[in-house]
Coordinates of all heavy atoms in Angstrom, one line a residue:
E63 N -13.2 8.8 0.6 CA -14.5 8.5 -0.1 C -15.5 9.2 0.6 O -15.9 8.9 1.8 CB -14.7 6.9 0.0 CG -15.9 6.3 -0.7 CD -16.0 4.9 -0.4 OE1 -16.2 4.4 0.7 OE2 -15.7 4.1 -1.4
H161 N -8.4 8.4 -4.2 CA -9.5 7.5 -4.2 C -10.4 7.6 -5.4 O -10.8 6.7 -6.0 CB -10.4 7.7 -2.9 CG -11.7 6.7 -2.8 ND1 -12.7 6.9 -3.6 CD2 -11.9 5.7 -2.1 CE1 -13.6 6.0 -3.3 NE2 -13.1 5.3 -2.4
D195 N -9.6 3.9 -6.5 CA -10.5 3.0 -6.0 C -11.5 2.5 -7.0 O -11.8 3.2 -8.0 CB -11.2 3.5 -4.8 CG -11.9 2.6 -3.9 OD1 -13.0 2.0 -4.2 OD2 -11.3 2.4 -2.8
L196 N -12.0 1.3 -6.9 CA -13.0 0.7 -7.7 C -14.3 1.6 -7.5 O -15.1 1.6 -8.4 CB -13.3 -0.7 -7.3 CG -14.5 -1.5 -7.9 CD1 -14.1 -3.0 -8.0 CD2 -15.8 -1.3 -7.0
H197 N -14.5 2.4 -6.5 CA -15.6 3.2 -6.2 C -15.4 4.7 -6.6 O -16.1 5.5 -6.2 CB -16.0 3.1 -4.7 CG -16.3 1.7 -4.3 ND1 -15.6 1.0 -3.3 CD2 -17.4 1.0 -4.7 CE1 -16.1 -0.2 -3.2 NE2 -17.2 -0.3 -4.0
F214 N -8.8 -0.4 -9.0 CA -8.9 -1.7 -8.4 C -9.9 -2.6 -9.2 O -10.9 -2.0 -9.8 CB -9.5 -1.6 -6.9 CG -8.9 -0.7 -6.0 CD1 -9.5 -0.3 -4.9 CD2 -7.7 -0.2 -6.2 CE1 -8.9 0.6 -3.9 CE2 -7.0 0.7 -5.4 CZ -7.7 1.1 -4.2
Y217 N -13.6 -6.3 -5.3 CA -14.4 -5.7 -4.2 C -15.0 -7.0 -3.5 O -15.8 -7.6 -4.1 CB -15.4 -4.9 -4.8 CG -16.4 -4.2 -3.8 CD1 -15.9 -3.8 -2.5 CD2 -17.7 -3.7 -4.1 CE1 -16.7 -3.2 -1.6 CE2 -18.4 -3.1 -3.2 CZ -18.0 -2.8 -1.9 OH -18.7 -2.2 -1.0
H219 N -11.5 -5.1 -1.7 CA -10.3 -4.7 -2.5 C -9.1 -5.4 -2.1 O -8.3 -4.9 -1.2 CB -10.1 -3.2 -2.1 CG -11.3 -2.3 -2.5 ND1 -12.2 -2.6 -3.6 CD2 -11.8 -1.2 -1.9 CE1 -13.1 -1.7 -3.6 NE2 -12.9 -0.8 -2.7
H504 N -16.8 -5.8 2.0 CA -15.4 -6.2 2.4 C -15.4 -7.4 3.4 O -14.4 -8.1 3.4 CB -14.7 -4.9 3.0 CG -14.3 -3.9 2.0 ND1 -14.0 -4.2 0.7 CD2 -14.3 -2.6 2.1 CE1 -13.7 -3.1 0.0 NE2 -13.9 -2.1 0.9
Ligands
ZN189 ZN1 -13.8 1.1 -2.5

Side-chain angles (χ1 to χ4, degrees):
E63 183 178 71
H161 183 285
D195 197 281
L196 174 148
H197 298 117
F214 308 163
Y217 182 28
H219 300 331
H504 288 327

